């Protein structure tokens, strides 16, 4: 399931430094606008202690975590929706992403140039958000010019419904609000899905601050501003220091844990970003376990047992018979599958079963 989040923001806010840390790769992170010209893509593991625990219990040969794809998209600037700063190219890259991680500069550093001349996180956020809104408005208006006359002339119910939805989105965009602020039902969301509206995608704000401030982000005035702005939009904000995250990415687990402890934090900013990106897309994880392999699999909340089986292999879905299911909590507590069975905690589920996050599943199928 190729899920991806695009890392966006103004030039020189720390996007490429963050991306380097996420992927443990060496993308160019130079101190000048447009150092990143082509989108850089990296696949990262979603941290999951449940896989580690299953590995211990089953004495497994290998552990495989679920993954998430991040795309580092070159810095947007004012006028990007009109093509400024190679904007159209970069906006098209965002359209391919499922979610957006908006990196905002919350640190002062005279040695790192700010494209707008000063550090002002709310101004920076609004520059990016306005460009995304303007790009969406252009998309909506283009579609309306094609479909509106047809709807009026033919009175086609589907076309009329689409026009209605597009007008509601257009009104929001013209008021400076994102498309996701419009309440859309399942059918309406499906109707506009193919337009890949940028402001319909879920967004996480990533507040990038100085190394010495990350232990107490609430003391950072700029972070407080971003937090208030995000809360007003019902969005998440995650404080990080991209430089610290890049440093952490080169450490082994023991050194990393000690370093985090010294900083006074329990979890790295990157782990929080990855988990948040995973969660805002309403994704869950089911697990498979055995001596050969313990593995986490991504599925969308609401998928049926056969659909989850299809995540592993299409044959599993096509020939689905039953799913043998128990919870991670039960195997964690009872420690063996035999004990889970004897406790009556293992059950057989059919085609209508909706798996839950943390289910350990074995699929029975026949093709």
């Amino acid at each position: 399931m190729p899920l991806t989040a695009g890392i966006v923001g103004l030039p020189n806010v720390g996007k490429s430094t963050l991306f380097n840390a996420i992927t443990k790769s060496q993308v160019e992170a130079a101190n000048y606008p447009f150092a990143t010209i082509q989108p850089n893509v990296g696949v990262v593991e979603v941290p999951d202690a449940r896989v580690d625990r299953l590995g211990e219990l089953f004495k497994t040969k290998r552990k495989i975590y679920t993954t998430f794809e991040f795309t580092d998209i070159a810095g947007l600037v004012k006028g990007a929706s009109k093509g400024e700063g190679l904007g159209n190219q970069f906006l098209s890259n965002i359209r391919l992403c499922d979610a957006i991680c908006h990196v905002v500069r919350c640190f002062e550093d005279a040695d790192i140039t700010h494209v707008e001349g000063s550090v002002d996180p709310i101004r920076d956020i609004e520059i990016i958000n306005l460009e995304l809104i303007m790009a969406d408005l252009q998309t909506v208006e283009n579609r309306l010019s094609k479909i509106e006359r047809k709807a009026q002339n033919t009175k086609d119910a589907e076309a009329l419904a689409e026009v209605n939805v597009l007008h509601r989105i257009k009104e929001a965009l013209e008021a400076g609000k994102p498309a996701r602020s419009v309440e859309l039902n399942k059918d309406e969301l499906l109707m506009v899905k193919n337009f890949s509206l940028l402001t319909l995608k879920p967004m996480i704000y990533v507040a990038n601050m100085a190394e010495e401030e990350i232990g107490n982000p609430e003391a950072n005035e700029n972070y407080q501003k971003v937090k208030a702005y995000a809360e007003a939009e019902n969005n998440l904000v995650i404080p990080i220091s991209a430089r610290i995250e890049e440093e952490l990415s080169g450490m082994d687990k023991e050194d990393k844990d000690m370093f985090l402890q010294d900083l006074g934090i329990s979890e790295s900013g990157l782990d929080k970003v990855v988990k948040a990106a995973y969660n805002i897309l309403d994704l869950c994880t089911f697990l498979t376990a055995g001596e050969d392999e313990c593995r986490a699999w991504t599925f969308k909340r609401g998928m049926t047992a056969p659909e989850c089986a299809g995540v592993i292999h299409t044959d599993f879905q096509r020939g689905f018979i039953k799913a043998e299911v128990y919870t991670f909590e039960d195997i964690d507590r009872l420690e063996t599958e035999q004990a889970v069975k004897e406790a009556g905690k293992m059950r057989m589920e059919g085609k209508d079963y909706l798996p839950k996050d943390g289910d350990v599943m074995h699929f029975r199928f026949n093709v």
Side-chain angles (χ1 to χ4, degrees):
M1 191 177 287
L3 298 153
T4 180
I7 303 175
V8 305
L10 291 174
N12 296 347
V13 298
K15 298 184 316 304
S16 293
T17 305
L18 175 61
F19 182 80
N20 288 345
I22 285 176
T23 60
K24 298 184 181 179
S25 63
Q26 294 302 313
V27 185
E28 185 175 17
N31 177 27
Y32 55 89
F34 312 120
T36 309
I37 300 300
Q38 295 298 326
N40 301 284
V41 178
V43 177
V44 299
E45 291 179 339
V46 178
D48 197 330
R50 295 171 299 186
V51 175
D52 297 327
R53 175 61 172 157
L54 289 173
E56 291 174 9
L57 295 174
F58 284 84
K59 297 179 174 57
T60 193
K61 293 175 183 174
R62 64 174 182 165
K63 297 178 291 186
I64 302 177
Y65 304 88
T66 189
T67 58
F68 201 96
E69 188 175 282
F70 281 89
T71 302
D72 177 33
I73 295 166
L76 296 172
V77 292
K78 196 180 292 182
S81 59
K82 299 176 182 176
E84 293 293 330
L86 304 178
N88 285 335
Q89 176 187 333
F90 301 155
L91 288 171
S92 68
N93 294 329
I94 305 171
R95 291 192 193 283
L96 302 176
C97 298
D98 298 294
I100 297 174
C101 290
H102 184 165
V103 182
V104 186
R105 179 169 168 176
C106 292
F107 65 89
E108 299 282 351
D109 189 332
D111 294 329
I112 299 180
T113 311
H114 193 293
V115 71
E116 290 293 320
S118 63
V119 175
D120 182 341
I122 303 306
R123 176 205 59 207
D124 295 354
I125 286 172
E126 290 180 343
I127 287 173
I128 297 295
N129 285 350
L130 180 60
E131 294 307 323
L132 302 182
I133 285 170
M134 294 303 292
D136 278 352
L137 186 57
Q138 187 176 353
T139 299
V140 169
E141 288 175 340
N142 288 344
R143 178 59 182 169
L144 276 171
S145 68
K146 295 176 182 176
I147 192 73
E148 199 159 21
R149 183 170 293 179
K150 175 189 172 183
Q152 290 170 349
N153 292 339
T154 65
K155 304 300 180 185
D156 178 78
E158 192 172 322
L160 286 168
E162 183 180 328
V163 167
N164 175 266
V165 171
L166 289 174
H167 271 296
R168 284 159 56 201
I169 293 174
K170 183 183 175 186
E171 285 176 15
L173 295 172
E174 287 177 335
K177 297 177 182 178
R180 60 180 168 273
S181 68
V182 180
E183 287 190 24
L184 301 174
N185 62 37
K186 189 176 179 181
D187 290 337
E188 290 169 335
L189 283 170
L190 198 60
M191 200 178 294
V192 298
K193 182 180 179 182
N194 290 337
F195 305 138
S196 299
L197 296 177
L198 303 171
T199 64
L200 199 57
K201 299 178 188 297
M203 179 181 284
I204 301 166
Y205 291 107
V206 179
N208 186 19
M209 58 185 63
E211 298 96 309
E212 63 273 12
E213 295 179 315
I214 197 62
N216 183 21
E218 299 293 337
N220 181 302
E221 186 179 340
N222 286 323
Y223 170 72
Q224 290 281 13
K225 292 176 182 177
V226 176
K227 184 179 178 182
Y229 190 96
E231 286 176 351
E233 291 186 331
N234 200 28
N235 284 329
L236 291 172
V237 57
I238 296 174
I240 69 157
S241 167
R243 284 182 175 176
I244 284 179
E245 299 301 331
E246 192 171 23
E247 195 173 337
L248 283 168
S249 69
M251 297 181 182
D252 60 31
K253 188 178 186 306
E254 188 176 338
D255 289 342
K256 180 178 176 180
D257 289 343
M258 288 178 61
F259 189 52
L260 288 173
Q261 191 174 357
D262 290 342
L263 290 171
I265 52 180
S266 59
E267 188 177 25
S268 77
L270 286 186
D271 285 352
K272 291 177 183 177
V273 170
V274 172
K275 287 179 182 178
Y278 193 79
N279 290 332
I280 62 170
L281 290 169
D282 209 16
L283 303 176
C284 298
T285 301
F286 72 85
L287 306 153
T288 54
E291 289 184 9
D292 289 335
E293 175 184 289
C294 288
R295 183 165 183 167
W297 304 85
T298 301
F299 71 99
K300 187 88 170 176
R301 193 184 304 277
M303 286 174 66
T304 63
E307 288 172 328
C308 286
V311 172
I312 298 176
H313 197 287
T314 53
D315 284 351
F316 283 29
Q317 181 172 358
R318 189 157 51 92
F320 179 89
I321 300 172
K322 293 282 184 183
E324 192 175 80
V325 184
Y326 55 86
T327 68
F328 169 76
E329 287 76 16
D330 286 333
I331 189 74
D332 181 37
R333 178 171 53 89
L334 298 169
E335 298 194 337
T336 68
E337 284 192 333
Q338 185 60 36
V340 172
K341 280 183 183 178
E342 290 172 357
K345 298 295 185 180
M346 188 177 291
R347 61 194 191 277
M348 300 300 294
E349 299 286 359
K351 293 182 178 180
D352 295 332
Y353 177 65
L354 302 178
K356 299 174 180 62
D357 186 68
D359 277 353
V360 183
M361 307 180 75
H362 297 280
F363 297 104
R364 296 184 183 181
F365 69 102
N366 183 31
V367 178

